[in-house]
Amino acid sequence: MRKASWLEAFPELMESLGQTAWMVGWSFLIVVVLGLVVGVILRLASPDGLRPNPFVYQGVGVVVNLARSLPFLILMIALIGFTRWLVGTAYGPTAAIVPLSVGAIPFYARVVEAALREVSPGKIEAAQVMGANTWQIVGKVLLPESMPGLISGATLTLVTLIGYSTMAGAIGGGGVGDFAIRYGYQRFNAEVLLVAVVVLIIVVQLVQSIGDAIVNRMAYRRG
């Protein structure tokens, strides 16, 4: 059987790229929202937080650490039943959103916790002296002051999700990973495989550059 050239396979590559954008985009939105919530809880409940609570901190921390310790491919397989129950299928780009989100939420939660920990205690104390309550401090001090770190962490998380999405293709998740396996690996088509890799590299570099530009712009305004 004649191997397809990369030009012949390009339309399907673009379709696969759209599938990757779909699964990564939605999972990124879910991860940022829920990861932010979990990260704030961890910071508030930590021993030096605004609301120290060892039971909450240790309990949430254990769950986060367990989820982070699982290899993503194993996590996808373990969540097949839950994914099928939640979205009606365990295959395709929409189904891949579930393991992508579950796998990346703990990662971003730790990033959020670390970013919030970098906020100067003096600014927190000043807000307390002015009578701000815990959630006012979170909304008006912790989150705004840690925004560059949060955006930098979100960029890193998005790049990680793109990498995870390629592994999702190994079990029918669709996207560029699935395209590379079917057209490049299984058909021994090095040309098409190389093009798929180059496209992913370009996407990752673009995402990283945009994230870095936003962080630098925020740092310039503060300076």
Side-chain angles (χ1 to χ4, degrees), residues 26-193:
W26 278 107
S27 58
F28 178 68
L29 180 61
I30 295 170
V31 166
V32 168
V33 172
L34 297 185
L36 188 64
V37 171
V38 176
V40 168
I41 291 173
L42 284 170
R43 181 67 189 109
L44 294 179
S46 63
D48 59 340
L50 294 172
R51 293 287 184 88
N53 188 318
F55 296 104
V56 172
Y57 185 72
Q58 293 297 331
V60 176
V62 167
V63 173
V64 167
N65 291 337
L66 284 174
R68 289 180 64 194
S69 65
L70 285 176
F72 182 67
L73 190 58
I74 294 176
L75 180 65
M76 283 194 301
I77 296 172
L79 289 175
I80 286 177
F82 176 71
T83 301
R84 183 180 290 113
W85 171 81
L86 189 63
V87 300
T89 180
Y91 303 99
T94 300
I97 293 172
V98 177
L100 284 172
S101 301
V102 173
I105 286 172
F107 176 82
Y108 189 60
R110 286 300 188 188
V111 169
V112 171
E113 182 190 10
L116 297 180
R117 199 176 291 278
E118 295 297 319
V119 177
S120 171
K123 294 182 178 181
I124 298 175
E125 292 170 1
Q128 290 174 321
V129 169
M130 295 175 65
N133 60 36
T134 300
W135 297 111
Q136 287 173 330
I137 293 175
V138 170
K140 297 181 179 180
V141 179
L142 288 178
L143 292 180
E145 290 295 324
S146 61
M147 194 57 66
L150 295 177
I151 294 175
S152 180
T155 303
L156 178 61
T157 302
L158 182 54
V159 170
T160 301
L161 282 170
I162 294 172
Y164 282 175
S165 72
T166 60
M167 286 187 279
I171 60 170
V176 178
D178 177 64
F179 171 86
I181 291 172
R182 288 188 294 108
Y183 275 86
Y185 177 73
Q186 293 180 349
R187 301 183 186 182
F188 304 100
N189 195 329
E191 178 185 346
V192 172
L193 182 60

